[in-house]
Amino acid sequence: MTIDSDPIPVTLRWAVRLLRGEAVAVGLIALWLIWADLTAETTVGLTSALLVTAFAVVGAVALWALGGALARCRAGARAPAIVLQLMLLPIGWYMIQGGLGWLGVPLMALGLGVSALLVTPATNRALGFS
């Protein structure tokens, strides 16, 4: 009889890694936005700039927290993580429409890929779904 020392399947581990990677990327964008807010020469759109910055900070924290919850096999974190991943589809679509297909297509693929990892049978079993 073999005892499985790592109950987290590879699909869930990769989903967690990708979520954490996204959190780091969004966190870096948030840092850049904070720097841009602090060094802006005008304050005409200050409220909008601060809201965009806050949205980026909250997004980074949410992605990191969801990755941590999924690493601990918390089933309730799967649906919000999938929702955040599916939000990459319209973002990627509008990037493609705006001439940034080189970035939009990989973002869409990332969203679909992480969503697929989160609904695989192995991930379902690890999270307690039958």
Side-chain angles (χ1 to χ4, degrees), residues 16-30:
V16 168
R17 287 177 186 148
L18 290 170
L19 284 169
R20 292 271 171 98
E22 289 175 23
V24 169
V26 175
L28 290 172
I29 292 169

Side-chain angles (χ1 to χ4, degrees), residues 47-79:
T47 303
S48 296
L50 293 176
L51 287 173
V52 169
T53 303
F55 185 76
V57 169
V58 169
V61 170
L63 286 165
W64 190 268
L66 288 170
L70 287 167
R72 292 186 305 279
C73 294
R74 303 284 190 250
R78 184 173 78 162

Side-chain angles (χ1 to χ4, degrees), residues 2 15 19 22 56 66 68 83-84 118:
T2 305
L19 284 169
E22 289 175 23
L66 288 170
V83 168
L84 288 179
L118 290 171

Side-chain angles (χ1 to χ4, degrees), residues 105-129:
V105 170
L107 277 179
M108 293 174 76
L110 177 65
L112 289 173
V114 174
S115 296
L117 289 171
L118 290 171
V119 297
T120 60
T123 299
N124 285 341
R125 281 190 300 276
L127 295 177
F129 297 108

Side-chain angles (χ1 to χ4, degrees), residues 28-48:
L28 290 172
I29 292 169
L31 287 174
W32 178 80
L33 287 170
I34 291 169
W35 177 81
D37 292 344
L38 292 174
T39 60
E41 293 183 14
T42 63
T43 58
V44 174
L46 182 61
T47 303
S48 296

Side-chain angles (χ1 to χ4, degrees), residues 59-105:
V61 170
L63 286 165
W64 190 268
L66 288 170
L70 287 167
R72 292 186 305 279
C73 294
R74 303 284 190 250
R78 184 173 78 162
I82 291 173
V83 168
L84 288 179
Q85 295 309 297
L86 293 179
M87 286 175 64
L88 291 176
L89 296 178
I91 293 169
W93 176 256
Y94 282 105
M95 287 180 142
I96 293 168
Q97 296 300 310
L100 294 173
W102 62 270
L103 185 56
V105 170

